[in-house]
Amino acid sequence: MVDVSHLLALVLSAQNKLEEALNMVTLTLLNYPDNLNLLITKVMLERQVHGGHSALITCKEVLLPLLEKLGTSSSRESIDSAYLPYSDQWTSGRFQLTQWSDKVSTHTTASFTGSTIGTLPAESLCESIDSTIGCDQSNWGYQAEVWYTIADVFLSEEMITDAQKCVDEIKQLFPLSHLVSYMNARIRESEGSSKEAEQQYINAVTLAPHHVPSLVSLGRLQIELDKPILAEHYLSEATQLKPDEYEAWHHLGVLHQKQGNHKKAADCFLTALRFESSAPVRPYSVLKWKL
C-alpha cells in the first residue's frame, strides 16, 4: 500500500501538482511514520512547496527515527530540544548544527536495518555507495543517505557551514566515496572557489565515472571556466548515461548558444523542457517493488 501511495505522489509531482503530492505523502505517513523513503520524498516536496525552512523541520523526522534505530541513549524529548531544528535551535533563520553533529558522530559506526530508504533525485545513494566500495545496504549507507538529504537542503538554503558538517558525517562513514567529493565540490562552488570545486568534481568522476550528477556539474562548471571541449564531453556523457537528464540538456543548450550554434541550442533547450515537464520530484526507481 505504501508503495502505491508513494507512486501516486511521484506521478502527481511529475504533473506539477506538488501540493497534492505533498498531501498524499503526509497522509500516507500517518500510517507509515517510520518509512524513511517516504520521509525523504516529503523533504523534497516541502522544499519546493514551502521552502527550505519547512524541509529542514521535516529533516528532524528523517533523522530522529534513525537515531532511535541506532539505539541512542537520548530520549525523544531530549533529542527534540537539544539537537533538532526547533525553537531556540534557530538563530536568524539558521539552524545551529554543531551540537547535533558532534553528538551524532559518536554513533556513526552503528548498524541500521530499519525502514526502507530511497534516493535523492539522481540515483540511489545506498546503491551508489555499494557499487563503489561494496558496503552492505542494510548498514551505514542508510545513515549516509540521511546526512546527504539534510546537506542537500542546507545547500539549497545557502547554509554552507551546516552542509559541510553533514558531509563530514558522510566522510566518517565512507571516506573514499565519490559522493563526498561531489558534495564538497558543491560546497566549494557555493563559496565561489571554482578551481577547488572543479578538482573535487574531477575526483568524483574519477571515483565513479557513471555518476551523472558529477558529470553534469563538472560540465556546467567547464562552461563557466571557458573550457567548451571538456564541457561538451562531460555533458554529452551524462545524456548518454541518462537520456532524460534535463539539466545536462539545458547546459548543452547554453554551451551551443554561447558558441553561436543556435539550432543545436534550441534543440537542446526543447529536449530539456520536455524531460523537465514530466520529471517527478524523485525518480520512480526509489520504489522498491517486491514481485
Side-chain angles (χ1 to χ4, degrees):
M1 177 61 184
V2 61
D3 282 338
V4 174
S5 298
H6 200 169
L7 175 61
L8 179 56
L10 293 177
V11 170
L12 288 170
S13 72
Q15 296 171 344
N16 204 31
K17 298 177 180 178
L18 298 177
E19 290 194 24
E20 292 180 39
L22 179 57
N23 290 338
M24 173 63 67
V25 168
T26 302
L27 288 173
T28 305
L29 282 169
L30 294 177
N31 294 320
Y32 303 93
D34 294 328
N35 190 296
L36 297 183
N37 194 17
L38 202 58
L39 281 165
I40 290 175
T41 296
K42 184 180 181 183
V43 170
M44 300 297 103
L45 286 167
E46 281 199 328
R47 186 170 66 178
Q48 293 195 33
V49 175
H50 299 304
H53 184 279
S54 293
L56 285 174
I57 296 299
T58 302
C59 285
K60 171 238 179 184
E61 299 174 23
V62 176
L63 183 62
L64 183 56
L66 175 59
L67 295 179
E68 291 174 341
K69 293 290 184 180
L70 291 174
T72 59
S73 58
S74 300
S75 67
R76 174 181 290 269
E77 289 77 13
S78 64
I79 293 174
D80 277 353
S81 60
Y83 308 116
L84 295 170
Y86 269 60
S87 60
D88 59 347
Q89 290 302 303
W90 290 89
T91 304
S92 300
R94 292 294 184 260
F95 171 42
Q96 305 303 303
L97 184 68
T98 305
Q99 289 181 311
W100 181 26
S101 178
D102 291 345
K103 183 75 173 181
V104 176
S105 65
T106 63
H107 301 285
T108 54
T109 58
S111 173
F112 174 63
T113 57
S115 305
T116 301
I117 199 164
T119 67
L120 288 177
E123 61 175 330
S124 169
L125 178 60
C126 292
E127 289 175 2
S128 179
I129 292 173
D130 289 347
S131 64
T132 306
I133 60 177
C135 76
D136 181 357
Q137 279 195 35
S138 66
N139 205 321
W140 299 339
Y142 295 117
Q143 301 174 52
E145 180 123 25
V146 173
W147 286 116
Y148 185 82
T149 301
I150 300 170
D152 192 59
V153 178
F154 277 137
L155 269 180
S156 72
E157 291 295 289
E158 299 182 354
M159 299 167 67
I160 297 174
T161 300
D162 291 324
Q164 184 66 69
K165 289 171 183 174
C166 292
V167 175
D168 290 343
E169 292 289 341
I170 301 174
K171 187 176 181 179
Q172 289 188 45
L173 296 167
F174 305 106
L176 299 181
S177 171
H178 62 285
L179 293 165
V180 174
S181 296
Y182 170 64
M183 291 300 289
N184 277 329
R186 289 179 59 191
I187 291 172
R188 300 290 85 78
E189 197 170 0
S190 297
E191 294 172 336
S193 304
S194 296
K195 282 295 184 181
E196 292 182 33
E198 179 187 27
Q199 187 55 57
Q200 289 289 338
Y201 283 133
I202 290 173
N203 291 346
V205 171
T206 300
L207 290 167
H210 293 167
H211 186 232
V212 173
S214 293
L215 290 167
V216 173
S217 297
L218 183 54
R220 172 186 48 74
L221 186 58
Q222 300 296 358
I223 296 175
E224 298 176 12
L225 296 175
D226 198 24
K227 299 178 180 179
I229 296 177
L230 287 174
E232 185 167 10
H233 167 74
Y234 291 122
L235 293 171
S236 296
E237 181 70 16
T239 60
Q240 290 176 21
L241 290 169
K242 193 172 185 289
D244 61 349
E245 179 51 61
Y246 59 86
E247 288 190 21
W249 286 110
H250 172 79
H251 294 305
L252 275 172
V254 171
L255 176 62
H256 290 314
Q257 188 174 55
K258 189 175 181 179
Q259 294 174 325
N261 298 325
H262 299 298
K263 186 180 184 304
K264 284 186 176 182
D267 290 341
C268 289
F269 287 139
L270 287 172
T271 302
L273 285 171
R274 184 172 73 252
F275 286 132
E276 184 179 14
S277 65
S278 60
V281 69
R282 297 174 71 203
Y284 297 114
S285 59
V286 303
L287 300 175
K288 307 298 182 183
W289 296 101
K290 294 182 180 179
L291 300 177

